[in-house]
Amino acid sequence: MPVDASAVSKLKQACDTAYDLHPNSCSHAVWHVIQQYLPSQPWLNANALIEHLRGQAHWKTVDSGQVGRLAREGVLVVGGKKESANGHVIVVYPGGDIPAGGYSYTKNGKVETLRTRGSYARAMSTSLGSWPGAMSKGDKTIWDPWANDAKFVQVTFWQLSP
């Protein structure tokens, strides 16, 4: 199936704009992207958005191993994990898979580098928190916002069905 270059361009542009407009709110950034496809989508915080996606017929769960291919085809894919306080949501960013990790972070006042590990699809992610893995304009992966295998297996991905 040939890739629709305009669909890929639309997804990339929506992600880039959302990242620039909403650097401190994953919910607002993901909402901005969704609105490019579903203009009537109301804003919901991350936990509420995850619940909303679970109940909609036009959102279909998809395995994390398929999300990179879908984004490279221009399909909107949202990922998220609920938390007791604030959950986190991302959009899968078009482009080839890249290694997870490899970036610096500060722990107990000491700068450390997260080990690199497996390759994953790219992410558009913003955050009110300070974790550098949660800030990505396609330069980090869908694994990096959680940076933990046990947490990542709890992330659900949904593709917007045509």
Side-chain angles (χ1 to χ4, degrees):
M1 174 164 124
V3 172
D4 181 347
S6 66
V8 175
S9 177
K10 176 182 179 176
L11 179 57
K12 183 181 183 310
Q13 183 176 8
C15 286
D16 290 348
T17 301
Y19 181 89
D20 293 339
L21 288 175
H22 304 288
N24 300 314
S25 174
C26 66
S27 302
H28 282 88
V30 170
W31 175 60
H32 175 87
V33 175
I34 291 172
Q35 280 202 308
Q36 308 314 300
Y37 298 82
L38 300 171
S40 64
Q41 171 66 47
W43 179 82
L44 300 166
N45 71 30
N47 283 343
L49 179 61
I50 291 165
E51 281 305 311
H52 175 77
L53 296 177
R54 286 185 177 146
Q56 301 299 307
H58 53 274
W59 288 99
K60 181 177 98 174
T61 58
V62 61
D63 182 80
S64 63
Q66 299 175 25
V67 300
R69 175 187 56 79
L70 290 167
R72 287 189 294 277
E73 293 172 0
V75 175
L76 173 58
V77 179
V78 172
K81 180 182 179 304
K82 286 179 72 173
E83 296 286 347
S84 57
N86 295 308
H88 189 65
V89 288
I90 64 171
V91 173
V92 182
Y93 192 94
D97 290 0
I98 57 174
Y103 48 87
S104 297
Y105 65 99
T106 303
K107 181 177 179 180
N108 300 326
K110 181 182 174 201
V111 176
E112 299 190 20
T113 300
L114 187 68
R115 67 181 171 86
T116 21
R117 53 161 345 273
S119 291
Y120 292 86
R122 297 170 187 259
M124 185 288 298
S125 177
T126 64
S127 177
L128 55 80
S130 61
W131 179 248
M135 298 303 296
S136 176
K137 193 175 186 177
D139 58 314
K140 295 186 183 76
T141 74
I142 61 172
W143 182 87
D144 289 307
W146 294 277
N148 176 299
D149 291 335
K151 289 181 181 178
F152 183 68
V153 297
Q154 297 173 25
V155 175
T156 302
F157 292 93
W158 296 268
Q159 80 174 72
L160 179 62
S161 300

